[in-house]
Amino acid sequence: MDALEVLRGRRSVRVYDAQRPVAHGQIETIVDCGRLAATARNTQPWEFIVVTDPTVRAAIAALATNGPFIADAPVCIAVACQEGPYYLEDGCSATQNLLLAAHALGLGSCWVAGDKKPYAAAVADLVGVPGEYRLVSLVAVGHALSVPHPKKRALAEVLHWEKF
C-alpha cells in the first residue's frame, strides 16, 4: 500500500476479531513507525507500552470511557511521553504514525484519548508509567470485523489559499 493510499484509507475501527492475535513482528513494526514520528527538537519523549494480556486490556477498557472495545482488540498500545513543552504534540505525532502503520499492515486501529481525561492517571498507573510521564493516548489494534466509512468533508470546504 503506498503512503497516499494509507492516508486516504485509514479509519477508526471499533470492532475486532478478539480470537485472532496480531503477530509480534507486526506489533514491532507498528511501534517502530511510532518512534520515527516527527518530534520537536528531536526530543523523542515517548515510550510505548504494548498490552496483550486480556485481563489488563479489559481493565483499561473499563477505565477508558470512550474505549470499551479495547477489551476485544488483541493489542492496546499506550503512548506515554515525558513531560516537557511539546510532549502532547510529539505524542500525537507518534500516535498518528501507529495508526497509519497498522492500516498499512492491513490491521484496524483506533485512537482513544489519554491526556486530560479523568481516567489517564489510573490507566498510566495500571501499565506502570512513571510519574514524570503523561499518558497521551491508547491505540487499539487488531483484525477488523467492521470498518466504518464516515463521510469526510470535501477538500473545497477546508482548503483556503493565502487566508481563511
Side-chain angles (χ1 to χ4, degrees), residues 1-10 100-107:
M1 200 178 304
D2 80 0
L4 294 177
E5 186 179 351
V6 169
L7 291 166
R8 290 179 175 136
R10 189 220 58 84
L100 295 171
H103 180 61
L105 294 171
L107 298 166

Side-chain angles (χ1 to χ4, degrees), residues 39-124:
T39 175
R41 300 181 180 150
N42 198 33
T43 55
Q44 304 175 56
W46 42 63
E47 301 291 335
F48 304 91
I49 302 97
V50 175
V51 180
T52 58
D53 181 311
T55 304
V56 179
R57 287 193 334 270
I60 292 170
L63 291 166
T65 52
N66 292 323
F69 51 85
I70 290 171
D72 293 326
V75 177
C76 177
I77 303 170
V79 179
C81 287
Q82 190 167 25
E83 288 192 67
Y86 305 108
Y87 80 92
L88 187 56
E89 292 87 345
D90 291 345
C92 289
S93 179
T95 300
Q96 183 69 9
N97 275 20
L98 297 175
L99 299 169
L100 295 171
H103 180 61
L105 294 171
L107 298 166
S109 64
C110 189
W111 181 335
V112 178
D115 191 61
K116 299 181 180 82
K117 291 294 184 183
Y119 56 78
V123 171

